Amino acid sequence: MSDSSSSRGLNKRHSSLDPGPPTTVVLFGATGDLSKRKLLPGLFRLVTVGLLPHLRIVGTSLDDHTQESFVAFARESLTKFEDTLRDEDWENFAKRLTWAPGGTADSLKIAVAEAEKDLDGPQQRLHYLSVPPRAALAVINTLDEAGLVEGSRVIMEKPFGTDLESAQELNASVHEVFDEEQVFRIDHFLGKEAALNILAFRFANGLFEPIWHRNMIDHIQIDVPEELGLEQRAAFYEATGAYRDMVVTHLFQVMAFTAMEAPTSLDPAAITEEKNKVFRSMLPIGPDDVVRGQYAGYRNEEGVDPESETETFIALRCFVDNWRWAGVPFYLRTGKNMAVGKRIISIAFKEPPKSMFPKGSGVGQSGPDHLTFDLADESRMSLSFYGKRPGPGFRLDKVSMQFSVEETEWSNDVLEAYERLILDAVRGDRTLFTTAEGVERLWEVSKDLIDQPPPVRPYAEGTWGPNQIHQLIAPRAWRLPFERAWRSKG
């Protein structure tokens, strides 16, 4: 049987891109929430738009499913999370699904053989571990027992350890089965279009590249407040907290794209090396650099210790101690149950002398000029600066220039983060994935904080965190909430 792929029912996106090679995705945790919301819909779209036309999917989990009930689960997922589900697209996708009951070595071996039996040529294999971190090593050993390691790749979900020692132990155990080149540690933040836009913006434009350093930039903020609470993840979160859950695995990775030197090429190895140079240059993070918070009511959540000291909020100050960034603070903030949900990088430029402007002109009253990247799916950028108000006198006010991918003819070409990352892993492109070296270095600079964490401070739900965050950043100010809203399309 040969594969055919229909692009009907979805936009004919990415028609100019070469499709990925024939691949079998072995999806562990195939009936979990992440699979339902992101992975199965993402794989469906990659098939339907022609980017993975020769895909096979072998699903497995600890849930009690059959081939028929797994296919029904996938149909339910696509019905809920796809805007339009055409019958012909669904039929083309459903025939690619195979269920491996129990996830044992024998059932996996049989299911993979069944999925690939009618194909004309060889398939490469990508194992996606959508499982709790504590189950990852058991899955890797099962793949080894099933003989499904050679020539394959494996995607692992965060967190990658909880401190330096556990990260080193985890990497050593993984490397007993998989070579490092086969391991793709996923960070969905880096799969967003805006993350790659940072590289394009910095290194493709003669206007901005020359000013991207300590002489022109005062500080940088990376702000990821979340409106959501625990969402039935109390057991995971209580043992992890905001720092391990978000900062090490997400915010530091985004910081590396913001701070890295120009790579010698867009080759994944060259980009990874520049990111790791940023991590090597980071100064250790101590208790005085951090504000930890816990929202009121967290200790009353089911599954949470009534005396818990787990942080649901964290703000920190860190430094990249190299020639480009020496003395420039990076401020990172994230938390649960906050006022809004955002994913923002804000570059604050140094202010010029103001002596030439008359008293009352307004210059300096709205803070420094900012370049802002919105890492949400809209992939927006904004540059704020002072401009003169029309009319007599010399009255200045902040104005902005804004760009949004939604306003361009490329808006239908945007890949959702998991779609992009799965496609990159299929193609062996490690640009947006983390490495063992990078992960271990981040735990190394975190050691002082982990060993001596400051106390957690209470904050009310729907706010911006504990009041102590203002002391951390003084005399500067946090960028959120924005005074200037993003312009809407149309």
Side-chain angles (χ1 to χ4, degrees):
M1 183 179 87
S2 62
D3 277 310
S4 64
S5 177
S6 167
S7 60
R8 293 172 295 179
L10 290 180
N11 248 315
K12 286 191 175 182
R13 309 180 301 176
H14 319 290
S15 58
S16 62
L17 295 179
D18 294 331
T23 301
T24 297
V25 171
V26 182
L27 180 54
F28 292 85
T31 55
D33 185 61
L34 178 62
S35 178
K36 184 174 185 177
R37 291 185 296 106
K38 296 292 185 180
L39 303 183
L40 287 172
L43 290 166
F44 170 78
R45 286 189 286 270
L46 290 172
V47 168
T48 306
V49 301
L51 287 176
L52 290 181
H54 308 294
L55 181 70
R56 289 292 182 268
I57 301 168
V58 174
T60 188
S61 75
L62 297 180
D63 293 336
D64 188 16
H65 275 279
T66 64
Q67 173 71 20
E68 292 73 21
S69 64
F70 175 54
V71 171
F73 176 89
R75 178 66 187 252
E76 178 188 355
S77 171
L78 298 182
T79 299
K80 184 173 182 179
F81 294 102
E82 277 297 314
D83 293 336
T84 303
L85 182 61
R86 296 171 61 94
D87 287 342
E88 56 265 45
D89 294 331
W90 162 248
E91 291 166 4
N92 180 47
F93 185 70
K95 68 184 181 183
R96 303 165 187 271
L97 300 172
T98 303
W99 180 249
T104 65
D106 288 340
S107 69
L108 286 171
K109 189 183 302 185
I110 292 169
V112 169
E114 176 68 21
E116 298 175 355
K117 68 178 182 180
D118 294 328
L119 297 175
D120 296 333
Q123 296 272 107
Q124 70 172 15
R125 290 168 190 148
L126 176 67
H127 309 298
Y128 197 118
L129 275 57
S130 179
V131 299
R134 62 182 181 275
L137 286 180
V139 171
I140 285 174
N141 291 330
T142 299
L143 288 170
D144 190 21
E145 185 182 346
L148 297 175
V149 172
E150 185 177 357
S152 69
R153 300 183 179 116
V154 58
I155 293 180
M156 297 183 65
E157 286 279 351
K158 55 93 174 174
F160 315 113
T162 57
D163 54 22
L164 178 59
E165 183 179 3
S166 62
Q168 290 173 330
E169 291 176 354
L170 175 62
N171 285 328
S173 297
V174 171
H175 291 159
E176 289 178 1
V177 178
F178 287 95
D179 294 335
E180 175 64 17
E181 290 71 25
Q182 295 175 275
V183 182
F184 289 72
R185 297 170 187 82
I186 196 167
D187 173 13
H188 71 271
F189 268 50
L190 295 187
K192 295 181 178 297
E193 196 69 42
L196 288 174
N197 235 333
I198 297 171
L199 298 186
F201 194 90
R202 285 190 58 191
F203 300 126
N205 295 294
L207 178 62
F208 290 100
E209 194 281 331
I211 64 173
W212 208 266
H213 54 71
R214 58 189 171 86
N215 293 336
M216 298 295 180
I217 292 176
D218 180 78
H219 68 280
I220 293 174
Q221 293 181 35
I222 300 174
D223 219 330
V224 187
E226 296 183 281
E227 284 184 289
L228 297 176
L230 297 186
E231 303 295 301
Q232 287 86 47
R233 297 171 71 224
F236 165 81
Y237 206 83
E238 177 68 356
T240 306
Y243 186 78
R244 291 178 171 91
D245 182 41
M246 291 291 294
V247 178
V248 175
T249 53
H250 293 322
L251 273 64
F252 281 155
Q253 304 299 328
V254 173
M255 186 184 78
F257 269 94
T258 309
M260 64 186 275
E261 297 293 330
T264 55
S265 70
L266 287 180
D267 179 75
I271 293 175
T272 296
E273 173 59 17
E274 296 304 330
K275 286 170 55 185
N276 284 342
K277 284 181 182 178
V278 173
F279 300 147
R280 291 179 209 136
S281 300
M282 288 176 64
L283 294 179
I285 299 164
D288 293 340
D289 298 313
V290 173
V291 173
R292 298 168 70 233
Q294 188 183 91
Y295 66 79
Y298 172 76
R299 296 177 182 179
N300 298 325
E301 300 271 11
E302 184 177 353
V304 172
D305 185 339
E307 298 181 359
S308 173
E309 292 294 312
T310 298
E311 78 278 357
T312 63
F313 168 95
I314 193 159
L316 64 142
R317 172 183 55 220
C318 59
F319 293 89
V320 178
D321 192 29
N322 59 17
W323 190 270
R324 182 181 293 267
W325 295 112
V328 176
F330 289 74
Y331 296 102
L332 282 57
R333 176 171 63 165
T334 186
K336 296 288 188 183
N337 278 334
M338 297 185 70
V340 298
K342 293 286 184 181
R343 297 179 176 93
I344 298 293
I345 304 171
S346 187
I347 317 294
F349 293 98
K350 290 187 175 180
E351 297 188 65
K354 309 179 185 70
S355 58
M356 64 175 286
F357 295 99
K359 185 177 181 180
S361 66
V363 66
Q365 291 183 0
S366 297
D369 299 339
H370 280 86
L371 174 64
T372 302
F373 295 87
D374 186 347
L375 298 186
D377 293 336
E378 293 87 351
S379 186
R380 298 178 293 195
M381 292 181 287
S382 174
L383 178 62
S384 68
F385 52 92
Y386 283 98
K388 181 186 176 299
R389 288 186 182 180
F394 215 102
R395 179 67 180 172
L396 304 178
D397 208 345
K398 269 293 173 72
V399 294
S400 67
M401 293 188 295
Q402 298 185 4
F403 162 80
S404 172
V405 168
E406 283 191 334
E407 298 175 351
T408 71
E409 61 186 31
W410 327 313
S411 58
N412 287 329
D413 292 336
V414 174
L415 285 170
E416 196 274 335
Y418 282 97
E419 294 176 42
R420 173 184 295 281
L421 292 169
I422 291 171
L423 183 62
D424 283 354
V426 166
R427 290 173 166 165
D429 186 338
R430 300 170 59 84
T431 302
L432 301 177
F433 295 86
T434 56
T435 65
E437 177 189 342
V439 168
E440 290 178 14
R441 172 57 183 164
L442 291 173
W443 287 122
E444 185 179 5
V445 301
S446 304
K447 186 177 187 308
D448 290 346
L449 171 62
I450 292 172
D451 289 347
Q452 295 179 311
V456 290
R457 310 285 187 176
Y459 67 96
E461 296 184 41
T463 64
W464 295 102
N467 289 331
Q468 287 79 6
I469 62 172
H470 303 296
Q471 301 166 17
L472 179 71
I473 200 172
R476 303 173 179 93
W478 290 101
R479 180 75 167 138
L480 286 175
F482 288 115
E483 295 178 359
R484 288 169 297 284
W486 292 98
R487 287 194 291 268
S488 300
K489 183 178 180 180

